């Protein structure tokens, strides 16, 4: 008897359109109904019998960093179909840094839940994740890690650089630099308006080593993109070619059963940590990597990251730690050039989405060539990894500093605390002429941690008080429980854990307290006796923020601290398998 086109046992081995049938209590009917509906879009049975590749589409008018998604989608579909698969795109949340209130980080976990549940709910044998802007790639990797099917990341790619009066500019290190000049009165309103036109010269992600570029490099280091997938700018033919290859590879992964757990291994995370340090990557990269690893039951060992940093120099000469932009990195060979240089420090047997190991991919990329963007290990941009992990009585759960973007003269510093209770307080007083502050003080901003703001906004880049900026001060030690943009620079201590909003020691710092920062000793110390801190805590107990309903309530009840990735506690893998590196 001929097998019915609607016969289905709805088991875990089902593939294509037979996967994950809607529950009507009759699997055959569920498949019959599904096919009837999809045929309404004109599909044939022959098309519906192919391996299905879902494509998580994050195009949005609110997200210019993903402005090339229509072109990428066309190339992806072509790649999937050339390889014999059926592409099925579907929308998910898209998050852009400048269009997400109160902050994009508040929405990252929501996007990860959307990605996970839609990948799980809809029939697909593999999924392509189109991400680029800061929170999108981590959200997608977190969601896909939990969903567990074969998954491959496609990066949207960086924007082109612009030109202001003969000077090359790009978002967003130059945004901050020019804004600081404007605040200091060095340029006028007309010039800052001209700059505004030039900073973002095309669609695509920020052109420096900010969080988006960091996560693109990390995704490739994790083995989650096609080789060379991190660096092509958004508007180039190379980017479109990567998209076509990504679509084809997704079909192969579906056929081979190359599920995400075979790629996101401890070795892959160790490689990603190494790359994060060597690129002078965004401090946000640590939080995101911790969250992705947590979905696989792995803990990123911050102290080990710090130890790795001492033997991993910054090699990539990109702003804000260096001089170049992402398009220069691409012309210099992209990640292949960096990985070749880092090879002795990498776990070469880590599997990638191609079905080959990272070591095999480095070898396939061939020999290097003369270029000046990726330095040799013997002549680095910065002798240690870009990020140092600090501990002390002010941050018992750790804090971090991007030492490669800090002022060398401030890395051993003791000063008087000038305290701002929250971002509103900061906005109100930072530019007042009567603010009691000198260049030797330490600015402290509270209540911008995961629960505090909420969402751990990138407000850790506290502006230089206007009166100091006018006096020519370019950097000052700043401390907070928040994050900062990967495109920012300065002697800035971030991610102080536990945060002030849940009663961490930061909550009890007062104006005039002495604070000592020693990056060499990896210490951040509040020079106030324990007894006095306990007295202050008893005198002014902290009331943790709450909400009455909705996503905000879920967020405040469930969000973890920075050392756990600021993920929701219920989204982490139920079982902890160990630490990375092992
Ligand atoms: Fe999207 Fe910078 S704002 S990458």
């Amino acid at each position: 008897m001929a097998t019915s086109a609607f016969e289905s046992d709805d088991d875990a081995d089902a593939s294509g359109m037979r996967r994950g049938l809607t529950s009507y209590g009759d699997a055959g009917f569920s498949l019959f109904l599904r096919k009837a509906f999809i045929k309404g879009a004109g599909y044939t049975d022959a098309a519906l019998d192919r391996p299905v590749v879902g494509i998580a589409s994050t195009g949005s008018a609110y997200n210019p960093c993903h402005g090339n998604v229509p072109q990428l989608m066309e190339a992806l579909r072509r790649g999937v179909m050339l390889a014999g698969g059926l592409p099925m795109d579907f929308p998910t949340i898209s998050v852009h840094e400048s269009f997400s209130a109160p902050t994009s980080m508040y929405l990252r976990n929501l996007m990860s839940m959307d990605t996970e549940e839609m990948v799980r709910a809809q029939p697909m044998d593999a999924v392509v994740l189109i991400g680029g802007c800061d929170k999108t790639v981590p959200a997608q990797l977190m969601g896909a890690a939990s969903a567990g099917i074969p998954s491959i990341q496609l990066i949207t790619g960086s924007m082109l650089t612009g030109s202001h009066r003969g000077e090359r500019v790009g978002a967003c290190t130059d945004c901050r630099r020019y804004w600081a000049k404007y605040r200091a009165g060095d340029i006028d309103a007309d010039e800052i308006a001209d700059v505004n036109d030039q900073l973002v010269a095309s669609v695509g992600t920020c052109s420096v080593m900010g969080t988006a570029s960091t996560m693109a490099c990390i995704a490739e280091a994790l083995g989650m993109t096609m080789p060379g997938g991190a660096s092509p700018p958004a508007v180039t033919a190379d980017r479109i070619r990567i998209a076509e290859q990504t679509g084809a590879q997704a079909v192969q992964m579906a056929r081979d059963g190359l599920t995400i757990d075979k790629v996101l291994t401890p070795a892959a995370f160790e490689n990603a940590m190494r790359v994060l340090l060597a690129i002078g990557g965004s401090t946000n990269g640590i939080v995101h990597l911790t969250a992705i690893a947590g979905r696989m039951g792995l803990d990123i060992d911050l102290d080990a990251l710090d130890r790795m940093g001492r033997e991993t120099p910054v090699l990539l000469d990109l702003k804000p730690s260096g001089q170049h932009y992402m398009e220069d990195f691409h012309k210099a060979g992209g990640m292949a050039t960096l990985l070749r240089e880092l090879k002795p420090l990498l776990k070469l047997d880590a599997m990638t989405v191609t079905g080959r190991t990272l070591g095999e991919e480095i070898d396939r990329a061939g020999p290097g060539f003369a270029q000046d963007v990726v330095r040799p290990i013997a002549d680095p941009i910065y002798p240690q990894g870009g990020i140092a992990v600090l501990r002390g009585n002010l941050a018992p759960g750790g804090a971090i500093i991007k030492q490669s973007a800090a002022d060398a003269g401030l890395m051993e510093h003791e000063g008087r605390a000038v305290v701002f209770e929250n971002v509103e307080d900061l906005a109100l007083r930072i530019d007042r002429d009567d603010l009691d502050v000198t260049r030797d003080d330490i600015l402290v901003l509270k209540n911008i941690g995961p629960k505090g703001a909420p969402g751990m906004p990138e407000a850790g880049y506290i502006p230089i008080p206007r009166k100091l900026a006018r006096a020519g001060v370019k950097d000052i030690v700043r401390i907070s429980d928040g994050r900062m943009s990967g495109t920012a620079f300065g002697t800035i201590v971030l991610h102080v854990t536990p945060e002030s909003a849940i009663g961490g020691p930061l909550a009890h710092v007062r104006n005039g307290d002495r604070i000592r920062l020693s990056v060499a000793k990896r210490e951040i110390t509040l020079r106030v006796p324990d007894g006095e801190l306990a007295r202050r805590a008893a005198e002014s107990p902290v009331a943790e923020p709450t909400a009455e309903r909705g996503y905000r309530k879920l967020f405040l009840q469930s969000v973890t601290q920075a050392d756990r990735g600021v993920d929701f506690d219920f989204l982490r893998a139920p079982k902890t398998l160990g630490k990375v590196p092992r």
Side-chain angles (χ1 to χ4, degrees):
M1 199 173 81
T3 310
S4 162
F6 309 115
E7 217 166 76
S8 176
D9 47 11
D10 191 23
D11 63 19
D13 296 331
S15 62
M17 284 292 153
R18 289 173 159 75
R19 286 176 75 104
L21 291 171
T22 312
S23 180
Y24 292 114
D26 177 346
F29 177 67
S30 296
L31 184 59
F32 170 75
L33 209 57
R34 171 175 288 173
K35 283 193 163 183
F37 277 113
I38 200 74
K39 282 177 179 173
Y43 287 92
T44 61
D45 279 315
L48 297 175
D49 278 344
R50 293 182 170 212
V52 177
V53 174
I55 303 173
S57 171
T58 49
S60 160
Y62 288 104
N63 195 344
C65 298
H66 293 202
N68 60 343
V69 165
Q71 292 77 29
L72 295 178
M73 193 67 82
E74 186 186 335
L76 274 169
R77 286 199 191 103
R78 184 167 70 239
V80 171
M81 288 194 281
L82 284 170
L86 175 65
M88 297 285 290
D89 58 275
F90 60 98
T92 72
I93 293 171
S94 189
V95 177
H96 183 278
E97 291 302 292
S98 289
F99 292 93
S100 303
T103 174
S104 59
M105 190 65 170
Y106 179 66
L107 299 168
R108 184 202 62 180
N109 297 349
L110 185 64
M111 182 173 174
S112 84
M113 290 168 75
D114 182 1
T115 305
E116 174 183 346
E117 296 306 328
M118 295 318 286
V119 167
R120 211 194 291 284
Q122 300 171 131
M124 60 189 83
D125 300 302
V127 64
V128 177
L129 311 156
I130 307 180
C133 196
D134 295 16
K135 305 304 176 292
T136 58
V137 170
Q140 292 181 320
L141 290 177
M142 289 159 71
S146 297
I149 70 168
S151 310
I152 182 167
Q153 184 81 55
L154 176 64
I155 301 295
T156 58
S158 61
M159 61 183 68
L160 301 180
T161 49
S163 176
H164 172 65
R165 300 185 183 173
E167 190 193 349
R168 193 180 183 201
V169 293
C172 227
T173 304
D174 298 318
C175 315
R176 295 172 202 287
R177 192 163 55 81
Y178 272 97
W179 190 248
K181 281 187 182 189
Y182 176 59
R183 279 174 54 81
D186 294 344
I187 63 173
D188 63 17
D190 287 342
E191 182 166 357
I192 197 71
D194 287 348
V195 172
N196 195 250
D197 281 344
Q198 289 300 317
L199 287 166
V200 180
S202 75
V203 296
T205 57
C206 288
S207 52
V208 298
M209 189 45 72
T211 305
S213 303
T214 299
M215 291 312 299
C217 295
I218 280 183
E220 186 167 343
L222 283 169
M224 285 300 302
T225 72
M226 290 303 291
S231 62
V235 296
T236 58
D238 279 348
R239 175 54 64 198
I240 300 297
R241 265 189 289 277
I242 288 285
E244 184 185 301
Q245 291 167 2
T246 300
Q249 189 58 36
V251 179
Q252 194 57 45
M253 291 173 75
R255 291 198 170 116
D256 295 345
L258 185 53
T259 45
I260 194 165
D261 56 307
K262 295 176 181 137
V263 179
L264 292 185
T265 58
F269 284 106
E270 187 173 335
N271 288 336
M273 291 162 77
R274 212 42 104 175
V275 163
L276 173 67
L277 293 161
I279 61 178
S282 161
T283 46
N284 292 322
I286 295 179
V287 179
H288 297 320
L289 206 49
T290 302
I292 300 163
R295 298 299 184 96
M296 304 306 294
L298 298 167
D299 287 328
I300 298 289
D301 183 343
L302 277 184
D303 294 322
L305 177 78
D306 190 82
R307 285 196 297 278
M308 287 167 78
R310 293 175 191 263
E311 59 184 33
T312 313
V314 177
L315 301 181
L316 191 51
D317 188 2
L318 246 64
K319 291 190 175 200
S321 298
Q323 288 309 311
H324 295 284
Y325 295 86
M326 274 304 275
E327 59 196 83
D328 307 317
F329 180 37
H330 182 57
K331 286 177 188 158
M335 284 292 286
T337 306
L338 183 89
L339 294 173
R340 196 181 295 115
E341 202 56 46
L342 278 181
K343 199 173 169 188
L345 297 173
L346 295 172
K347 297 280 183 200
L348 298 174
D349 56 353
M351 180 52 62
T352 79
V353 288
T354 62
R356 293 180 288 270
T357 65
L358 189 71
E360 287 171 322
E361 291 299 350
I362 295 171
D363 292 343
R364 278 169 63 95
F369 52 87
Q371 47 79 36
D372 63 353
V373 181
V374 179
R375 297 275 193 89
I377 281 199
D379 179 27
I381 287 288
Y382 192 80
Q384 297 188 354
I387 295 168
V389 179
L390 308 172
R391 297 207 186 258
N393 68 343
L394 190 53
I400 56 166
I401 184 168
K402 188 170 182 179
Q403 51 179 342
S404 59
D407 183 331
L410 288 173
M411 293 216 277
E412 302 297 314
H413 184 80
E414 180 168 328
R416 190 183 64 134
V418 176
V419 178
F420 299 91
E421 291 299 325
N422 49 44
V423 277
E424 292 78 21
D425 183 32
L426 177 80
L428 213 61
R429 295 194 294 122
I430 189 78
D431 285 341
R432 286 175 58 152
D433 287 336
D434 61 355
L435 180 70
D436 180 14
V437 65
T438 74
R439 66 174 66 216
D440 295 324
D441 291 337
I442 293 181
L443 305 182
V444 174
L445 176 56
K446 302 178 183 176
N447 289 305
I448 60 164
K451 290 194 181 185
M456 210 181 179
E458 290 184 341
Y461 179 72
I462 305 168
I464 307 283
R466 196 189 295 266
K467 74 180 199 186
L468 295 184
R470 285 196 173 131
V473 175
K474 297 276 186 274
D475 197 5
I476 181 170
V477 177
R478 289 157 268 184
I479 299 175
S480 76
D481 45 13
R483 298 176 302 115
M484 77 172 180
S485 162
T487 61
F489 49 88
T491 313
I492 302 176
V493 177
L494 302 156
H495 309 183
V496 168
T497 303
E499 65 173 306
S500 52
I502 63 167
L506 189 70
H508 307 300
V509 180
R510 293 187 178 167
N511 278 322
D513 287 348
R514 304 289 297 176
I515 295 176
R516 169 137 189 87
L517 168 68
S518 171
V519 178
K521 291 190 186 147
R522 302 295 198 259
E523 283 175 4
I524 183 80
T525 311
L526 177 61
R527 292 190 176 267
V528 173
D530 290 350
E532 169 60 13
L533 278 180
R535 193 189 64 73
R536 291 180 189 179
E539 185 182 283
S540 322
V542 164
E544 286 195 27
T546 56
E548 286 194 350
R549 63 164 297 282
Y551 179 67
R552 197 178 179 104
K553 182 171 183 177
L554 176 73
F555 189 97
L556 289 173
Q557 283 176 344
S558 312
V559 75
T560 58
Q561 293 289 288
D563 59 346
R564 303 287 276 177
V566 196
D567 200 2
F568 292 156
D569 50 13
F570 61 87
L571 292 175
R572 228 188 110 85
K575 239 204 213 150
T576 297
L577 303 175
K579 283 186 175 182
V580 178
R582 289 217 155 133

